[in-house]
Structure formats: C-alpha cells, structure tokens
Amino acid sequence: MHALRIFGWSLTVTVVGVALAGVLGGPQTAAIVAILAVLEISLSFDNAVINATILRRMNEFWQRIFLTLGVLIAVFGMRLLFPIVIVALTAHLGPVEVFDLALNNPDEYATRLHDAHPAIAAFGGIFLFMIFLDFMFDPEREVQWLRWIEEPLRKAGQLDVLSVVVGLVSLFLVAEAFSGDATQQVLTAGVAGVATYLGVRGLGEFFEARGVGADDDVTGEAPAGAAPAAGSTGGPNALVLASGKAAFFLFLYLEVLDASFSFDGVVGAFAITQEIFVIAAGLGIGAMYIRSITIYLVRKGTLQEYVYLEHGAHYAIGALAVILAVSIETEVPEIITGLVGVGFIGVALISSLLRRGRKQRASEGGGNGDGPDERHREIATVRS
C-alpha cells in the first residue's frame, strides 16, 4: 500500500484542522494546533510501534474499525471527554459542571486537572509498566536485543504471576516515595490500572486462544500486503488473525493503551493553551498520524524487517512509566518524555539495521553465518 494512501486522511485532517483553527481563532490558534500535533506525535511515537504489534494480530475488518471508530474514541473520547471524567471523579463534581468549567473557566479547569494528575499518572503509569513487565518476563520470546538484561528476566518469567507481583510492589513503593499527600489516590488509581490491564488483556487472550469468533467477521486471514508473523513459513494464510470477540477485546486493549499514552500529552498541553477544543484539535491531529504510522508499520511488515523496534518501544514505555511515577511529585518537562521514547526507538532501529547487515553478509559469504564469530553474535541476539 502506497504511503500517500496510508497518510492521506492524516494530511487531510491536518490541513482542514489547522485552516479551521486559523479561521476561527486566528494565526496564533492555528500555530498552537500545529505545535500540539507535533507534541502528540513526539510523545506517542512508541505507541505506534506497540499498536502495530497488536494490530497485526487483528483481521482487516477490525483494523478498519481501529482507523475509524478508534480515531473518534481517541480524538473525542481520550483527548476531550476523558479529562473531564477524570476531573469529575477526583473533584467530586458532575460532568456537566466540569464541562461548563472547561468552557467558561479554563484556568480553574486546568487547576482541577493538575490536582487529578497523581491519579492519572498512577493509572497510566502502572498500566504501561505492566505491558513492559509482561514483555520482559515473556518466557516464549525468542528475539532478544539486550541479552544480558532480557535473558535472566525471560527465565524468571517462568513464574506466571511474577509481573503482577512486581507491578504491585512497584505501585506500593511509588505510593510511599513519590505520592506525598496523595497516597490513597495513587494506590486506588494504581490498583484500578492493574485490574484494567489484567481484565482487558486477559479477556482478549482468552478468546484468542480458543478461537472464539473465528467466523464472526469477514475474514480471519492476513490482509493483502501484510507481512507474515515472525517465525511464520509464509503464504497467504500463514498469519491467522483474530476476529470476533477476540479482536474486540484486543481493540479495547488498544484503546486503553492509547489512553495511557495520551495522559502526559493532555496534561502537558495545558502548558501551551487552556482551550479544551484547541487541545482536542491539536492532539487529535497527532493521534491521526500515530494511527497512520501504525498502519504503515503493519502493511509494510516493518516490525519483521527491523526486529528490535518492538524491544525499543517496550523499553520506551517502561521509561515512560517511570517518568509518570516521578511526575506525581516532581514536574518532568515534556521534551524529556519525548526524547526518551524517540531515543530508545532510534537506537533499536540502528541495532536492527546492523543485525540485518550482518545477516546479509553472512548469506553472501555462504549462508551459514560466515564462521564462529558471526554465529556467536547471532546466538547472543536470538535464542534458538
């Protein structure tokens, strides 16, 4: 699929959104919308890589749902309505009252949202940290990037409940070390984050493992242009994709994941402007690009070609989880959050290119690794 076709809607929404902002609010508002879009993309690029690892397990029908209904949820739900719900819950106000506050008293609304930050950071941070832990403790993961870190954790992952235990212990440590006067708020939101992760992820895996819904949707085969899964033997039916109830819960998991990634962007946006519709427009444009990048990665088989991108993205969300924990008590500039994510993915991309070069040279030199040194490097990277 041509890149212009994949990014066509994102480009269209950008032009329309920025132009409309300029007409309604002037050049300054248009510039703010563009800045917020760039902020969202920089903060959530690792989100696109993680999304792609999940989306490529879903059939074409549900991929389209992710790009249509999922975009509406991301723009209007997570970037506009969700902060209002958070403020309503933490400030014990009605949603209508909070919405009126956001429209007519944005300074007070921003203050309320800032007061809700401990709960937001605890929920989003522990959700992302659980994703990181499950990746690191996965005993069946074959490809390893930083073997000296990942191999001991992979072996420890033989104990199924280890990620939950580590996650809960980490939550209690964060509540004690970083929460200040918001300990109860952090613990409540953190436990809710763990429960949400286990519930949505568990239901998705339950239905996927049992093949429920295999005939519910249009197809359970790989969409045209999609690369086969890692370890697949190839062919049109090599990648069996989730559909029906399994895909539905994977979709829910994706949306909660997107919410966790969007928290820092929404809160950080109030440092630029306090107009909620301007924030929703700018972050919404950024969310469109994240989805386009996700589809590009899936259609082009980028994760199969650059095998360490998934690792880099998981290290990035692990770092983001730590940053969210620290931010409960200490403000962390958004530029640091963005650079950490881009940095991990950039290094992972370079490592992937080097690995691909080694494999190509090995193939040209005889196809068996070009001797002991090359084989040793491959063994140190990929567990057979």
Side-chain angles (χ1 to χ4, degrees):
M1 183 180 291
H2 197 275
L4 183 60
R5 182 179 175 186
I6 295 175
F7 287 91
W9 275 108
S10 297
L11 294 171
T12 301
V13 169
T14 301
V15 173
V16 172
V18 173
L20 190 60
V23 170
L24 297 178
Q28 183 177 359
T29 302
I32 291 175
V33 168
I35 291 171
L36 289 173
V38 174
L39 173 69
E40 177 70 6
I41 294 171
S42 64
L43 290 176
S44 300
F45 186 79
D46 45 353
N47 189 13
V49 179
I50 298 298
N51 285 350
T53 66
I54 302 168
L55 195 65
R56 68 192 182 101
R57 295 160 53 193
M58 301 162 66
N59 67 14
E60 189 172 4
F61 171 81
W62 280 97
Q63 290 182 8
R64 289 173 180 168
I65 293 294
F66 175 73
L67 284 177
T68 51
L69 178 60
V71 167
L72 294 177
I73 294 174
V75 175
F76 296 104
M78 299 307 173
R79 272 74 179 180
L80 182 61
L81 298 180
F82 191 73
I84 291 175
V85 173
I86 289 294
V87 172
L89 291 174
T90 56
H92 305 290
L93 299 173
V96 176
E97 186 178 357
V98 175
F99 190 72
D100 179 71
L101 200 66
L103 288 178
N104 301 314
N105 193 349
D107 290 336
E108 177 66 18
Y109 175 73
T111 300
R112 298 279 190 172
L113 186 63
H114 183 270
D115 292 340
H117 179 69
I120 294 172
F123 182 94
I126 194 63
F127 189 93
L128 295 176
F129 194 54
M130 291 299 299
I131 296 172
F132 170 74
L133 290 177
D134 271 352
F135 178 80
M136 297 301 291
F137 289 138
D138 182 5
E140 298 179 358
R141 181 165 52 86
E142 295 185 352
V143 178
Q144 297 182 7
W145 182 27
L146 304 178
R147 184 179 176 84
W148 58 279
I149 295 176
E150 297 174 20
E151 178 60 16
L153 295 179
R154 184 196 67 78
K155 291 180 177 178
Q158 306 274 351
L159 182 62
D160 290 340
V161 298
L162 187 58
S163 61
V164 178
V165 172
V166 173
L168 289 175
V169 170
S170 301
L171 174 61
F172 289 127
L173 291 176
V174 168
E176 287 296 324
F178 299 108
S179 63
D181 297 331
T183 301
Q184 186 62 44
Q185 191 179 10
V186 168
L187 286 175
T188 301
V191 171
V194 173
T196 302
Y197 174 81
L198 294 177
V200 177
R201 181 71 179 267
L203 286 171
E205 292 178 348
F206 173 82
F207 286 113
E208 188 177 7
R210 284 155 180 77
V212 175
D215 299 321
D216 290 354
D217 295 324
V218 292
T219 179
E221 299 175 359
S232 170
T233 57
N237 298 324
L239 181 59
V240 179
L241 302 178
S243 61
K245 295 182 180 66
F248 172 72
F249 282 106
L250 285 176
F251 173 77
L252 289 183
Y253 176 64
L254 272 175
E255 293 306 318
V256 178
L257 177 62
D258 179 73
S260 300
F261 273 100
S262 70
F263 288 150
D264 55 339
V266 172
V267 175
F270 277 91
I272 300 174
T273 180
Q274 295 180 346
E275 299 292 334
I276 60 169
F277 290 111
V278 174
I279 291 174
L283 299 185
I285 291 173
M288 285 287 296
Y289 278 99
I290 294 302
R291 273 156 172 71
S292 295
I293 294 171
T294 298
I295 288 296
Y296 182 85
L297 295 175
V298 173
R299 295 288 189 264
K300 297 298 181 180
T302 306
L303 296 180
Q304 287 76 42
E305 187 175 0
Y306 305 102
V307 295
Y308 298 139
L309 277 181
E310 184 177 358
H311 297 70
H314 279 90
Y315 279 105
I317 66 173
L320 177 57
V322 173
I323 290 173
L324 284 171
V326 173
S327 71
I328 293 174
E329 199 171 42
T330 304
E331 184 176 352
V332 180
E334 283 72 26
I335 189 172
I336 293 179
T337 305
L339 288 176
V340 166
V342 173
F344 272 114
I345 292 177
V347 174
L349 176 60
I350 293 172
S351 297
S352 299
L353 289 171
L354 293 175
R355 178 182 185 272
R356 189 177 66 170
R358 290 198 303 268
K359 290 179 72 67
Q360 288 177 347
R361 289 192 297 271
S363 177
E364 292 169 358
N368 60 0
D370 263 353
D373 290 339
E374 182 64 34
R375 285 197 300 271
H376 177 73
R377 284 194 293 269
E378 285 301 311
I379 292 171
T381 305
V382 182
R383 179 177 59 85
S384 299

